[in-house]
Amino acid sequence: LAGFNIFCSGFFIALGNGAVSALISFLRVLVFQASSVIILPLFLDIDGIWWAITVSEVLAAIVSAVFLLAKRQRYHY
């Protein structure tokens, strides 16, 4: 999933839409990871730390897919 998220970020940079690319990267690296590290251990104890990266990548993949679907009419892909 990390590859898909990195691809989507680079894809939007190539299309000249740096705001979407920055948002995907920011959410993936900071927001989703930090919130996962804080929230998941409350429910899963130490296993929550191990699941934090996976959960953040899944959430970022969902955001990336939403942007790909939302912008496809604008960029005609």
Side-chain angles (χ1 to χ4, degrees):
L1 290 176
F4 176 72
N5 294 328
I6 293 168
F7 165 78
C8 288
S9 182
F11 181 71
F12 283 111
I13 282 286
L15 293 175
N17 196 339
V20 171
S21 175
L23 183 63
I24 290 171
S25 295
F26 179 73
L27 288 174
R28 177 181 166 254
V29 174
L30 187 65
V31 174
F32 291 148
Q33 282 183 11
S35 60
S36 294
V37 166
I38 292 169
I39 294 170
L40 289 178
L42 299 175
F43 300 104
L44 302 173
D45 296 324
I46 195 71
D47 289 335
I49 299 293
W50 291 102
W51 280 100
I53 300 298
T54 305
V55 169
S56 67
E57 290 294 338
V58 167
L59 293 174
I62 292 169
V63 170
S64 297
V66 167
F67 276 121
L68 280 175
L69 293 174
K71 301 290 185 180
R72 96 184 136 168
Q73 293 297 326
R74 178 177 178 192
Y75 295 114
H76 305 290
Y77 55 83

